[in-house]
Amino acid sequence: MKTISPYIIPPILSLLTAYALAAMALVRGRVRYENILFALICVSWTLPSTSFVFHHLLADEKTLMTVERTVHTFYVLMPALSVLFFQRVTDQKNKYIIAVFFTIAIAISATVHTEYYFYAFYVYDWGRIARGGAAFTVFYSYGLIATLYIMWLFANKYRKEKNSVVRVK
C-alpha cells in the first residue's frame, strides 16, 4: 500500500478554501453576476491544486500527464475570467479587451493536449511538476499581461475616484 505524502496537504487545503469561498459567494446574499464570477475565479485559481493532489495518488506518468493537460484545458481561461471579473469590480468594462483575452485563451487551450504545452515532468523528492513547452511560455506571457492589465485597472480606478471612502475600498 502506498503511503500518502504530507506534501498533499497544501493542495487539499487550497482546494477546500477555494470551494468554501466559492460556495459562500453563491449561497450568502443575493446571487449576482459578480458573485458568480468570483466563485469561478476561486475555482479556476486552484485548478492546478487538483493535479497536484493526483500527483500524490497516481504513479503512472501518462495518466498524470492526461490529468495535467485536462486541468490546463480549463486553467488557461483563468486570466480571461480574472480580467472579466476585475473589469466588473472596477466598473471599467471593455468588451473588446475581454474578447481578445478569451480568444487568446481558446487558442492556447487548443495546444494544451500537445507536446508544445507540456512534454514531460520534472521529478523532485516532494513530487512532480510538468515541464512546459513553447505554448506554455505563451500562456505564461498571456497571464503576465493579464496581471499587468488588472493592476492598471486598479490604478486607473484609484486615480479617477473622487470619493475617499470608495477609494480606500
Side-chain angles (χ1 to χ4, degrees):
M1 182 173 159
K2 184 178 177 183
T3 60
I4 301 294
S5 168
Y7 295 115
I8 198 171
I9 295 170
I12 288 176
L13 289 177
S14 176
L15 288 169
L16 291 174
T17 303
Y19 293 146
L21 282 171
M24 283 192 298
L26 295 174
V27 174
R28 306 256 313 154
R30 296 180 312 228
V31 175
R32 296 186 334 231
Y33 185 63
E34 293 88 2
N35 295 16
I36 294 168
L37 283 175
F38 180 74
L40 284 171
I41 284 176
C42 286
V43 171
S44 70
W45 280 351
T46 58
L47 281 174
S49 295
T50 306
S51 59
F52 296 152
V53 168
F54 279 102
H55 286 209
H56 295 287
L57 300 176
L58 303 173
D60 180 39
E61 284 200 0
K62 185 175 180 184
T63 305
L64 286 175
M65 187 59 75
T66 302
V67 169
E68 282 279 355
R69 288 178 172 161
T70 302
V71 164
H72 273 261
T73 300
F74 301 102
Y75 187 65
V76 295
L77 294 170
M78 186 264 307
L81 281 172
S82 299
V83 167
L84 181 63
F85 174 73
F86 287 110
Q87 276 190 358
R88 181 75 177 210
V89 167
T90 61
D91 198 30
Q92 299 179 69
K93 298 171 197 80
N94 187 329
K95 60 184 171 185
Y96 300 111
I97 289 178
I98 291 298
V100 167
F101 272 98
F102 274 103
T103 302
I104 293 169
I106 291 167
I108 294 171
S109 182
T111 69
V112 168
H113 291 275
T114 68
E115 297 290 315
Y116 296 110
Y117 195 84
F118 287 142
Y119 61 91
F121 286 102
Y122 291 109
V123 179
Y124 301 100
D125 294 337
W126 47 265
R128 297 178 182 101
I129 294 287
R131 288 184 185 194
F136 186 77
T137 304
V138 171
F139 170 66
Y140 169 79
S141 302
Y142 158 70
L144 179 63
I145 291 167
T147 302
L148 293 172
Y149 176 67
I150 290 167
M151 291 169 62
W152 178 83
L153 285 173
F154 277 106
N156 192 38
K157 177 71 174 180
Y158 183 80
R159 192 178 68 241
K160 288 182 178 178
E161 185 59 50
K162 302 293 184 226
N163 186 339
S164 62
V165 175
V166 173
R167 187 183 308 164
V168 171
K169 279 185 174 182

